[in-house]
Amino acid sequence: DDDNNNNNKASTTKVEVFGSLATSLFLPSSDIDIVITTTTNKDDDEESSKKPSQESDLQRLANALREDWLPELSYLEVIENTRVPLVKFTH
């Protein structure tokens, strides 16, 4: 867990591994399944709703991955309009 406090705005981010890696049933070629949960306080939600062009958390993650791993990334896709939005990538 990572608790940040910036100008009295608190947010929490939690990263959890699930799937074959979590159960130790993975192979060398297996993917890694993680879930990232973020929560913000009410003031953050109200303020972010005033900025319609603000990029989503998934877009921010994808941009960070591109920035940090650009030479090593062979594939990256953001899929937001699904029941479970996700970022798929190959590193």
Side-chain angles (χ1 to χ4, degrees):
D1 288 346
D2 182 26
D3 293 323
N4 297 315
N5 194 337
N6 185 9
N7 297 329
N8 297 323
K9 298 174 188 166
S11 65
T12 303
T13 302
K14 184 176 183 180
V15 179
E16 297 175 89
V17 176
F18 66 99
S20 61
L21 184 64
T23 60
S24 297
L25 298 174
F26 61 94
L27 300 172
S29 61
S30 293
D31 63 351
I32 299 173
D33 301 303
I34 62 171
V35 62
I36 302 172
T37 308
T38 60
T39 57
T40 56
N41 69 22
K42 186 177 178 183
D43 292 339
D44 287 348
D45 290 339
E46 289 173 3
E47 187 171 310
S48 67
S49 67
K50 296 175 186 174
K51 300 176 185 176
S53 64
Q54 182 179 16
E55 65 184 4
S56 70
D57 290 342
L58 287 181
Q59 287 293 340
R60 289 192 353 240
L61 172 61
N63 290 340
L65 291 171
R66 283 185 191 104
E67 185 176 311
D68 290 346
W69 290 348
L70 184 60
E72 295 92 9
L73 281 177
S74 60
Y75 174 78
L76 188 142
E77 178 182 9
V78 177
I79 305 171
E80 294 189 272
N81 297 321
T82 61
R83 188 174 64 81
V84 179
L86 56 105
V87 176
K88 294 173 69 171
F89 64 94
T90 305
H91 179 260

